[in-house]
Amino acid sequence: MMEKEIPSRLMFRDPLQIMLANEARTCRGCIHQHTEHAFGADVIICTKSDENGRRRNHGRRCRDYKETA
């Protein structure tokens, strides 16, 4: 896995604050996130549909984000 570079605005902050800022942009932990096994690999998808009935792309946090309990 490739390491991400820390943005300069977060360089001298608490490591926990850096981690929380990075996680705030992702879908990780959402109840709509689901893992499927397809073509020999695990694929993470979003099960929530948008207002037009199309599947949402997984990876960016949307307004329907809800954490698991």
Side-chain angles (χ1 to χ4, degrees):
M1 188 161 135
M2 190 172 185
E3 298 236 357
K4 288 178 142 182
E5 189 172 316
I6 299 172
S8 60
R9 64 184 172 79
L10 299 173
M11 186 65 76
F12 299 106
R13 291 206 177 166
D14 180 23
L16 177 62
Q17 294 296 326
I18 295 171
M19 185 192 73
L20 290 175
N22 287 337
E23 292 290 319
R25 296 184 298 237
T26 66
C27 296
R28 191 170 294 160
C30 183
I31 61 171
H32 303 294
Q33 176 179 316
H34 189 71
T35 304
E36 291 290 333
H37 189 74
F39 303 108
D42 288 335
V43 180
I44 301 173
I45 61 169
C46 179
T47 58
K48 184 70 176 171
S49 299
D50 64 5
E51 56 275 352
N52 296 328
R54 290 181 279 165
R55 185 184 57 81
R56 294 185 185 271
N57 290 332
H58 179 268
R60 291 196 140 181
R61 189 174 286 187
C62 64
R63 58 184 161 80
D64 296 322
Y65 175 84
K66 292 183 180 74
E67 286 189 13
T68 56

